[in-house]
Amino acid sequence: MSPDRRTAVAAGSLFLLTEAAAIAGAVLYRPLLGAADGRLAQGADTRALLGALCEVVLVVAVTGTGAALFPVLRRHGEGLALGYAFGRLLEAAVIAIGIVAVLALVTLRRDAGPADGADAALAAVHDWTFLLGPNIALGLNTVLLAYLAYRARLVPRFIAVLGLVGGPLICASAVAVMFGAYAQLSVAGAAAALPVFAWELGLAVWLIVRGFGPGSRAASRADGEVADPADVCR
């Protein structure tokens, strides 16, 4: 297996891991964050702690995608490749702040019971990190990666177009939520996130099954790597 093929499999696997960890964390957090009176339902604290562990995995996977893809992306634009790597790092950092807020909220509700000002503030911190990280930062990172993938033909163009459409759409949806147009967890919010979900899922499956497109091999040869004779025959 060539280095680029290994990179593709690793990056695709990390993208699948981000999807699974993000969904699991959101589901496990609901009993804690959705408790209207601030009282923990039976087992809600344990589920929230499991959700926090899922989001720790998410932080590692998000950071890993930027690091894994950087050697390939830099051949097609080092500045944009660095922007994507640091953008993913920023996204992971914002998610980590949300994890700390949830853990503090678990401790507070265990000790204090009903909601108070600190309780509401911690829930708000989590909601804002969810908006800024897995929505706005994710949208900007999606545009960067999809643009590079489209320009360099790293994946089929219909997959890259999903990212070019989905990135701005999820950013616009986050701004709409910010100004109170609708709730974060709503039909409109879910519809706006669907293209990005499809982009990451399609990208992950393609990278694992097929690897990078011909643009990656061409750039590798331009960097001085020895061409595969089989590729030359093609």
Side-chain angles (χ1 to χ4, degrees):
M1 186 182 288
S2 69
D4 276 5
R5 189 73 184 90
R6 287 195 295 270
T7 296
V9 171
S13 300
L14 286 169
F15 272 112
L16 287 180
L17 188 58
T18 62
E19 296 288 349
I23 292 170
V27 170
L28 290 167
Y29 281 163
R30 278 303 93 202
L32 175 74
L33 298 174
D37 60 357
R39 296 183 183 277
L40 285 174
Q42 185 67 30
D45 56 343
T46 301
R47 290 184 63 181
L49 293 174
L50 290 173
L53 288 177
C54 288
E55 291 215 326
V56 169
V57 172
L58 174 62
V59 165
V60 173
V62 165
T63 306
T65 56
L69 288 172
F70 179 74
V72 174
L73 297 181
R74 70 183 300 210
R75 301 171 195 158
H76 308 284
E78 188 163 2
L80 291 176
L82 278 171
Y84 181 71
F86 281 108
R88 290 300 262 179
L89 189 60
L90 174 63
E91 182 183 340
V94 174
I95 294 170
I97 294 171
I99 296 171
V100 173
V102 167
L103 293 175
L105 186 56
V106 169
T107 301
L108 188 61
R109 288 190 172 175
R110 276 176 173 172
D111 295 343
D116 58 14
D119 182 294
L122 288 170
V125 168
H126 171 268
D127 289 345
W128 280 109
T129 58
F130 182 77
L131 189 68
L132 296 174
N135 284 269
I136 292 178
L138 171 62
L140 295 175
N141 290 331
T142 295
V143 171
L144 273 177
L145 180 56
Y147 171 72
L148 281 168
Y150 184 91
R151 188 179 71 176
R153 296 179 296 139
L154 298 179
V155 295
R157 289 196 164 179
F158 76 90
I159 295 178
V161 167
L162 275 175
L164 290 172
V165 171
L169 186 59
I170 200 170
C171 285
S173 176
V175 172
V177 171
M178 189 181 299
F179 286 95
Y182 47 80
Q184 281 182 284
L185 299 178
S186 62
V187 173
L194 191 58
V196 165
F197 176 79
W199 144 257
E200 290 201 343
L201 187 61
L203 176 66
V205 172
W206 186 269
L207 291 179
I208 291 171
V209 175
R210 300 294 297 274
F212 295 109
S216 175
R217 291 194 293 273
S220 295
R221 293 167 191 165
D223 285 345
E225 295 182 16
V226 178
D228 188 313
D231 285 336
V232 173
C233 292
R234 294 192 193 100

